[in-house]
Amino acid sequence: MRSDRGRGEGKKLFFFLDFLLKYIKGLRVFFFVFLLFVFFFALTFYLYHLPLEAVLYPTLVCLVFLLIIVVVRCFGAFKRHLFLWSAANFLPEIPESLSCDGVFEEDFLNLLKKLSEAFKKLSNEKDFRYANMQDYYSLWVHQIKTPIASMKLTLQNGNSPAATRLLSDLRRIELYVEMVLTYIRLESETSDYLIKEFDLDGIIKATLRNFASDFINKHLKLDYQESGVKILTDEKWFSFVLGQVLSNALKYTPEGSVSIYLEGDETLCIRDTGIGINPEDLPRVFECSYTGGNGRGMGAGSVGGASSGIGLYLCRRICRNLNHTIEIDSRPDEGTTVRIGIGRNKERLE
């Protein structure tokens, strides 16, 4: 208690000394003019051969009165400074305990209250519009899932290459729909995270089943090494991250393989032999809407189309919320390795 009180007193003293230093700096011109007047008086007395002591005494008297005025005005200025600082730090809320001494402070407080009311009104309107938009897109996502599920059932009964290709494209549409819903949920103030222990291999296998047709269509080899570990995470959100990473691996790997393995005991790696990422794009791949050169190069004629620049951005945000890490190592024409750190929650298991 005493240490906290001491730190509080130290902060107050530092706050006052910082203001005092700035206040004194603001009076430099004032003191310079005062000394200039004293110099002119002394020079005039000297030229008329008058005793300089006659200048020194009134100068000292004026200096004393000047210092008294400066000290009084300093405390008044500090009160105004404290008032403005308090008002600025409590915005947009204006505390009822905030008092003012003077007409200008009262006018300023009234102005702040009006601005605060206007801000609250705009904020409420924005929240209302966002809630309506969130409800609309959530409803749209759930409604569009019905025809997607119906089409998947229809296409799964067909064995033609066209049906297989359409099923793969439909899976990608479903992934984009999930991306919209995930983005909306992340922007919401409430979260539906259910953090508990899950079998990592179970999550990986369930995610891989959704991309089985993509591996078949592109004749890609899957090298999956079971980890046999359990992690503390949210199954739904972690599955979304894996789905996005696998979707990118499949999109940017025209031939070769995709490998999934555990590096050490705490890092899940997804490596592909695809086109890779340019060095200048690598530091920005997690930025929202950033596609990079290879992402923009995936045109309408390519499998999967052009990159949206949203998937990896969502992956990083989700990993941060789940207390995981995600990193990417890539070289052009040599492939990409995504590393997801899953060991930061180990102390919770213990």
Side-chain angles (χ1 to χ4, degrees):
M1 292 292 292
R2 291 183 179 180
S3 60
D4 293 340
R5 185 180 301 175
R7 283 194 295 267
E9 294 295 332
K11 289 181 179 180
K12 291 179 181 178
L13 180 61
F14 177 78
F15 181 77
F16 176 75
L17 291 178
D18 180 66
F19 162 78
L20 185 62
L21 182 62
K22 294 178 181 178
Y23 184 77
I24 293 175
K25 285 183 178 180
L27 295 176
R28 286 178 299 179
V29 177
F30 184 75
F31 280 106
F32 175 77
V33 173
F34 176 78
L35 294 176
L36 190 62
F37 286 166
V38 172
F39 172 76
F40 283 138
F41 273 107
L43 180 61
T44 303
F45 275 56
Y46 175 77
L47 293 177
Y48 281 94
H49 303 288
L50 296 174
L52 294 179
E53 291 79 3
V55 178
L56 183 60
Y57 177 74
T59 299
L60 291 176
V61 173
C62 291
L63 183 60
V64 170
F65 279 106
L66 177 63
L67 291 176
I68 294 175
I69 294 173
V70 167
V71 170
V72 172
R73 290 182 60 86
C74 177
F75 280 102
F78 179 71
K79 289 182 64 177
R80 290 192 295 271
H81 173 68
L82 189 61
F83 166 79
L84 296 175
W85 179 86
S86 301
N89 279 272
F90 280 108
L91 285 176
E93 297 293 334
I94 304 297
E96 297 294 334
S97 59
L98 192 62
S99 59
C100 52
D101 300 326
V103 177
F104 293 111
E105 287 83 357
E106 187 176 352
D107 292 340
F108 186 77
L109 183 59
N110 291 331
L111 177 62
L112 284 179
K113 288 181 178 179
K114 291 182 180 180
L115 290 175
S116 177
E117 292 173 0
F119 176 83
K120 290 178 181 178
K121 183 179 179 181
L122 290 175
S123 180
N124 291 335
E125 291 177 356
K126 189 194 79 165
D127 292 341
F128 179 75
R129 289 196 298 268
Y130 178 77
N132 286 340
M133 182 191 71
Q134 189 178 36
D135 291 341
Y136 169 77
Y137 281 111
S138 298
L139 179 63
W140 175 82
V141 167
H142 289 297
Q143 286 179 335
I144 204 171
K145 281 185 175 182
T146 301
I148 289 177
S150 176
M151 286 187 285
K152 284 178 67 175
L153 289 174
T154 302
L155 292 172
Q156 284 173 354
N157 296 327
N159 296 321
S160 65
T164 305
R165 174 63 184 274
L166 287 174
L167 190 62
S168 177
D169 290 341
L170 192 61
R171 168 57 197 160
R172 195 166 299 279
I173 292 173
E174 191 176 25
L175 193 66
Y176 290 146
V177 171
E178 288 293 334
M179 191 184 300
V180 172
L181 187 60
T182 301
Y183 187 86
I184 293 173
R185 287 173 176 170
L186 279 177
E187 294 299 321
S188 175
E189 294 182 357
T190 59
S191 63
D192 58 347
Y193 295 107
L194 180 61
I195 306 295
K196 64 178 185 178
E197 191 179 55
F198 289 98
D199 178 36
L200 178 60
D201 293 317
I203 299 177
I204 294 174
K205 290 177 182 178
T207 306
L208 285 173
R209 281 195 291 268
N210 295 326
F211 294 95
S213 59
D214 295 271
F215 279 97
I216 295 172
N217 290 339
K218 300 188 71 174
H219 305 287
L220 295 177
K221 177 185 176 182
L222 172 63
D223 182 12
Y224 169 48
Q225 303 173 13
E226 293 192 15
S227 62
V229 302
K230 296 183 181 297
I231 63 172
L232 194 65
T233 189
D234 180 282
E235 183 179 25
K236 179 182 66 178
W237 290 95
F238 191 76
S239 297
F240 175 85
V241 173
L242 286 181
Q244 287 296 317
V245 174
L246 281 172
S247 175
N248 286 344
L250 290 165
K251 181 190 295 186
Y252 297 108
T253 306
E255 59 182 8
S257 64
V258 176
S259 302
I260 303 175
Y261 57 94
L262 204 62
E263 192 174 74
D265 294 329
E266 301 182 349
T267 305
L268 177 66
C269 298
I270 299 96
R271 180 172 58 86
D272 63 64
T273 58
I275 61 177
I277 303 172
N278 297 326
E280 63 272 16
D281 294 328
L282 196 58
R284 301 185 59 188
V285 292
F286 291 109
E287 294 181 11
C288 183
S289 301
Y290 186 78
T291 56
N294 289 340
R296 290 188 293 269
M298 300 293 288
S302 61
V303 177
S307 173
S308 64
I310 301 294
L312 288 178
Y313 163 76
L314 294 176
C315 287
R316 166 161 283 190
R317 287 191 58 180
I318 292 171
C319 284
R320 285 176 177 173
N321 293 341
L322 296 176
N323 203 28
H324 299 317
T325 60
I326 182 168
E327 298 176 350
I328 292 182
D329 181 29
S330 181
R331 293 182 181 179
D333 302 322
E334 294 184 17
T336 300
T337 301
V338 179
R339 292 180 171 86
I340 302 175
I342 56 176
R344 296 178 67 187
N345 291 322
K346 185 177 291 185
E347 63 274 9
R348 297 185 185 178
L349 290 173
E350 299 173 353

